[in-house]
Structure formats: C-alpha cells, structure tokens
Amino acid sequence: MGNLFGPLTVLIAALVTMSAPQAAGLLKGFGGDGTVYEAARMSESNDKDWWVNSGAYFHRSGGIGMTVQGELAGQDRWRLLYATTNPVDTDGGYHPQNLLRLVTRSKFKNFTQQVYFNIERINLSDSPNRNESNGVLFFHRYRDGNNLYYAGIRVDGHAVIKKKLNGQYSTLNSVPIYHGAYDRASKPNLIPTHQWIGMRTAISDGSDGKVVIALYLKDDLLGPGWTKVLEAEDTSTAGAPLLKEGYAGIRTDFMDIRFKDYEAIENTPAGDSGR
C-alpha cells in the first residue's frame, strides 16, 4: 500500500486529530463532520476516536456516520487498491463498503454499546462471501481481527452472538428475529431497510469465569421500546473466554448503511479494567 500511494498515505497519517480523546470508558458519537480514512494500523488513523480497518472511508456529517454510498469513482485511490488486493469481495474495488470494519481507539471491558442503523442498500455482489452470515454486528473485547466477540443481526433475520478465537468462529447463541426464507438471489436480506433500527449490547463477566453478552433491538416490528432478543454465556466454548478489555466497534457486510447516536459506556469502576 505504501509503495502504491506513499505520499498521499503519509499525508493522511500526518493529519491525525490532535485534540484529546473522550474520557476513558466513554465514547459518544462519531466526532465532527469529515471523513475517517482506512489505515493499515490504528496508530495511523486520522481520527482520535475511530480506526477504519477496512472499508476505505467512513463519512460523517450532522451527527450521521456512513459507509461509502454507491460506487467509488474509477480513479479513486481506494478503488484502484481494492481492485488489486480484493476485487472479488469489493466488486472490482467499486464497493469497499462491502467490508466495513470500524474500530474504536478506546478499550472497554464490561460495557454497553448502542447505535441506530439504517440500511440503504444491499450490494448484490457475486462474491461467495456474500451469504446469510452477513449483517450488522458489534465488536466486543476486540484484541485483533482474529480474537473478539461479535453480536448483532444477520441478513437471514437471525440475531447472533459469536466468538472468534485464533481465527476460528464459534456460535454462542442464535435465534430467528425477522422471519422469512433467506435466499441469496431472490431474498438476500430480511432486515428491514430504509428505517432506523436501534441495536444495543451489554457484555460483562459473570460468575465462575463466564462472559455474558445480551443483545437488544429497538424496532416497532418487535414491540415498543428496547426488546431483549438474545443472551449467551461463554465459559469455555472452543477455548478460554476473552476476559481482558479490548476495543469495540462495528462490522457490516455487503451493504450501504448509515449510523447515528453511537455510544460505548463502561459499566465498571475505572480502576477495574481487567488488565
């Protein structure tokens, strides 16, 4: 990447916001207007609170954060780069938003995470990785891309809580929420689109070394207010639980999507970080 876009990459890395990050254990919103650019390392992000690990750009305006909407221009530097490095999943580089990985630069342990999302479009990529497991998901206790918890809603309508340990996924719990028959071609998404849906999770250490994760949705189709749709416990599923603090954040797959009102709030005293 550095050889292909060296001067511009260095310039973007140099524009890191210099103001102090938000208070420890608290992150609200996506920051001011502007764009967070994808960076190879968190330390190279041009934003003090957020790191775009994948997806090229995360645009912000008037409190709304969003992926790339539609296609990138043919000569956009990220279009050219993704066309070389991952043309299958990004449709020749035109849809890097198919792989959004947005990570906080603050760490959390026992915390509540919340956002409202609005799916604008499902990108019907030919990629074999466009499947029923795609969706809108939160990161928890993220150490790196191979070690973390996921929780969220999938395009097949299932709520899911998963662990990824040393690159291997394990499903801790799953239940259908939005009913229907998923079909990759004719019914590629069961999550309601063009409306704001709230998603909230709470993760905490339980008794006997457990990790407990609960998932809530706010959608009038499910009833008034927040609805608890799923809970899971990890004691030793496919390896030891992830007991140390880690980063939070958002993952989405093969969709154009907008977000608002993000929050991550630590629920334990500041000194109890689990380090």
Side-chain angles (χ1 to χ4, degrees):
M1 183 183 302
N3 292 334
L4 185 57
F5 300 109
L8 187 53
T9 302
V10 171
L11 174 61
I12 290 171
L15 295 177
V16 175
T17 303
M18 299 305 293
S19 56
Q22 298 185 40
L26 174 66
L27 180 58
K28 288 193 173 186
F30 296 110
D33 293 356
T35 297
V36 186
Y37 301 93
E38 181 177 331
R41 290 174 289 276
M42 182 179 288
S43 61
E44 296 175 352
S45 175
N46 69 308
D47 188 79
K48 67 184 183 344
D49 293 320
W50 292 97
W51 171 39
V52 177
N53 171 267
S54 178
Y57 304 105
F58 188 74
H59 302 297
R60 303 169 299 184
S61 179
I64 304 296
M66 69 191 79
T67 63
V68 172
Q69 303 287 301
E71 293 188 347
L72 289 183
Q75 293 304 306
D76 182 278
R77 70 187 193 92
W78 288 106
R79 207 290 297 177
L80 296 172
L81 182 57
Y82 271 105
T84 300
T85 60
N86 192 348
V88 174
D89 289 333
T90 64
D91 308 322
Y94 285 99
H95 297 139
Q97 66 268 37
N98 290 352
L99 304 171
L100 178 71
R101 307 293 184 263
L102 181 67
V103 185
T104 66
R105 298 188 67 179
S106 301
K107 289 184 176 181
F108 301 87
K109 188 174 189 285
N110 299 310
F111 71 105
T112 300
Q113 189 170 196
Q114 177 178 306
V115 81
Y116 287 82
F117 67 86
N118 190 324
I119 299 173
E120 300 287 348
R121 187 177 75 166
I122 298 296
N123 293 321
L124 300 179
S125 173
D126 290 332
S127 168
N129 293 314
R130 182 177 67 80
N131 56 47
E132 66 276 7
S133 69
N134 302 155
V136 184
L137 302 153
F138 276 144
F139 297 143
H140 309 79
R141 299 188 183 180
Y142 176 110
R143 300 178 189 171
D144 54 46
N146 289 317
N147 297 278
L148 68 154
Y149 290 109
Y150 290 100
I153 191 76
R154 302 180 0 159
V155 294
D156 66 355
H158 282 68
V160 65
I161 299 173
K162 303 180 78 170
K163 177 169 72 175
K164 189 176 184 183
L165 186 64
N166 299 323
Q168 299 298 312
Y169 288 99
S170 301
T171 299
L172 302 179
N173 203 357
S174 179
V175 64
I177 300 298
Y178 297 110
H179 296 279
Y182 170 86
D183 183 89
R184 174 182 158 91
S186 63
K187 197 78 170 179
N189 173 51
L190 300 180
I191 307 171
T193 59
H194 304 292
Q195 70 176 64
W196 289 104
I197 297 173
M199 186 169 73
R200 175 190 291 169
T201 53
I203 181 170
S204 61
D205 293 336
S207 61
D208 302 324
K210 298 175 182 177
V211 174
V212 181
I213 305 173
L215 172 65
Y216 305 79
L217 294 175
K218 189 174 184 181
D219 181 351
D220 289 343
L221 291 174
L222 306 177
W226 289 95
T227 302
K228 185 177 181 179
V229 296
L230 191 62
E231 183 171 298
E233 291 184 348
D234 181 23
T235 53
S236 58
T237 304
L242 301 174
L243 294 175
K244 293 185 178 181
E245 66 179 3
Y247 302 104
I250 301 171
R251 164 184 169 167
T252 64
D253 309 291
F254 298 96
M255 59 181 66
D256 296 4
I257 188 167
R258 301 175 190 267
F259 301 97
K260 66 178 182 179
D261 300 335
Y262 177 87
E263 292 184 352
I265 302 174
E266 186 70 40
N267 295 325
T268 57
D272 183 18
S273 63
R275 290 187 179 89

